[in-house]
Amino acid sequence: MSAPASQAAPAGAPAAPVAALPRRFGAWYVTEHNLRRLKNYGGTIVATILGTPLLYLFAFGVGVATLVTGNEGPGSEDGVSYLAFVAPALLCAAAITVASEEFTYTIMMGFKWNPIFVGMNAAPISARQIVDGVVLFVLLRMLATALVYYLVMLAFGAVPSPAGGALAVLVAVLTGLAFGTPLMAYSASLTEDRGQFAMIMRFIVLPMTLFSGTMFPLETLPWFLQWVGWISPLWHGAELSRVLAYGAAEAPWLTAIHLVYLLALAVVGWRLAVRISTRRLDR
């Protein structure tokens, strides 16, 4: 519950201007708080951002690609190398990994274990500003991760169209939000940790990565598994990124569906997160 602004103002200072700043820029304050929090894990974050694309692209570009090319010949996947085919999907998967980290335990910590969201709400920063600030922070982190991933892709020669590949960075961020904001809404609704996040990783994130056309075309899966890709934001993001990164052949209406689906998930998830957080903080 929000405290009166006068309680937060220093002695003798006018109350209205003190309260006006967080009411106007509250989301940015929340973003700043999370960026400062991230400094405590700076070494781990940098190692992850640099190490993940190097390891994955090396493994797929040298390891798996050698097997695929040896069996099916060069240009067997959409007319490009296997590395060029898989790299845009890995880019989107990297953004989803960031989203799954920041929209699960971090959200529950803010409400329960270290209820910083309750303190922010008494600042007074509204629940919507808290959600917006967290989403903006995760967006920035996903953008940094995807940019580094893109540069490593360029170094590996995995982007036939560098300009389109740069746009794929934005698609990867949108994919992360499409998966992350509904997850944030769910995390905000939890009051007890009974292993829900571990089950999400095992039964949603991992199957989504395996059955969303990330490492092979979705059409090669049995028909009864292809529906996983159709509802997966990762498949829609990967297909859209492939269109941009190397001009994968695709009907324009399907490209439009990818974009609309990702936007719809991101917006609906964000609105749900705002509604649930507001209800929880305003009790």
Side-chain angles (χ1 to χ4, degrees), residues 104-105 108 112-113 183 186-187 190-204:
T104 51
Y105 291 104
M108 193 158 191
K112 182 175 177 63
W113 298 317
L183 180 58
Y186 173 71
S187 301
L190 297 178
T191 56
E192 297 292 340
D193 176 23
R194 295 189 173 92
Q196 298 96 328
F197 296 143
M199 288 192 287
I200 287 173
M201 297 301 169
R202 291 171 186 167
F203 299 118
I204 295 180

Side-chain angles (χ1 to χ4, degrees), residues 109-169:
M109 180 178 68
F111 280 111
K112 182 175 177 63
W113 298 317
N114 180 22
I116 187 69
F117 293 160
V118 178
M120 290 175 175
N121 193 229
I125 296 176
S126 69
R128 175 172 177 170
Q129 288 175 319
I130 294 171
V131 171
D132 290 350
V134 172
V135 170
L136 182 58
F137 158 72
V138 179
L139 185 152
L140 292 174
R141 193 183 158 194
M142 289 192 295
L143 182 60
T145 300
L147 278 173
V148 173
Y149 219 111
Y150 169 67
L151 293 176
V152 177
M153 287 165 57
L154 285 177
F156 274 79
V159 190
S161 173
L167 293 176
V169 169

